[in-house]
Amino acid sequence: MSGASLASLTNQKLDTARRFIKQSQDSDEAWLKVGLESSAIFQLRSALNGLLKEVTAAYSLSGSLDVVKLLAESEDKQIVIPVLAELADLSSRTDSWCSQLNQAYLVQFECRSSMSSVVQSDNLIGRGSDAGASVSFYLTKLVELVLRFREESSEY
């Protein structure tokens, strides 16, 4: 795949997440909000993987989706890749948006209860909270990171 098609795939994931977030904010149905936010989280995590694929293609790395492995590989090749260093730092801090996005993804992936979902009645599984705002924040931060990476890599 060429770099443009990888960027296009990442952009599609980001756009899909944005649309899910918008729909969740426009919905009056709590169950639908939760489902759309979960879908947005999946798309954002996929977009993060897309960014990692863009990085591996741009720097001829192995294609791993593990930030720590990619960072070690880049250090072995004596290549400085700022986006990998930033992602490694963000992933190591539990208070960072990236770490929180990964945690939110794991909650969805493993079908666990998140702190924002509580049982209200027999016919309602859970209710949304400020998760929509959090997911919007993850989207904003990930878009900023993707744009910064693309700007930095176009300078070389």
Side-chain angles (χ1 to χ4, degrees):
M1 283 189 185
S2 71
S5 65
L6 289 174
S8 177
L9 289 172
T10 303
N11 290 346
Q12 288 173 12
K13 296 292 184 181
L14 292 168
D15 184 55
T16 301
R18 181 189 56 77
R19 290 171 189 249
F20 282 144
I21 293 165
K22 174 83 170 90
Q23 284 181 315
S24 75
Q25 292 168 342
D26 292 345
S27 176
D28 293 330
E29 300 290 336
W31 64 269
L32 185 56
K33 285 180 183 260
V34 171
L36 291 167
E37 289 165 4
S38 296
S39 297
I41 288 168
F42 175 80
Q43 293 297 319
L44 289 170
R45 189 60 182 88
S46 296
L48 182 57
N49 285 348
L51 173 61
L52 291 174
K53 287 186 173 286
E54 288 182 54
V55 171
T56 61
Y59 291 95
S60 300
L61 300 175
S62 65
S64 172
L65 295 178
D66 183 313
V67 173
V68 174
K69 287 180 184 176
L70 289 172
L71 190 59
E73 184 181 349
S74 69
E75 289 170 355
D76 289 345
K77 292 183 172 187
Q78 298 180 346
I79 303 171
V80 175
I81 306 174
V83 72
L84 286 180
E86 184 174 349
L87 280 170
D89 177 58
L90 288 169
S91 296
S92 70
R93 294 188 351 244
T94 58
D95 65 334
S96 76
W97 67 267
C98 187
S99 184
Q100 291 171 5
L101 170 61
N102 285 330
Q103 184 59 38
Y105 172 75
L106 290 175
V107 165
Q108 302 305 316
F109 182 71
E110 295 173 356
C111 196
R112 291 188 279 140
S113 173
S114 72
M115 298 304 278
S116 65
S117 294
V118 295
V119 174
Q120 281 188 326
S121 70
D122 293 339
N123 61 359
L124 183 63
I125 295 172
R127 68 171 170 79
S129 65
D130 66 344
S134 297
V135 177
S136 293
F137 181 70
Y138 304 151
L139 173 65
T140 300
K141 298 308 264 181
L142 184 53
V143 166
E144 289 172 3
L145 184 64
V146 167
L147 293 176
R148 220 172 29 255
F149 163 71
R150 290 177 182 165
E151 185 177 309
E152 289 167 358
S153 62
S154 70
E155 292 175 1
Y156 294 105

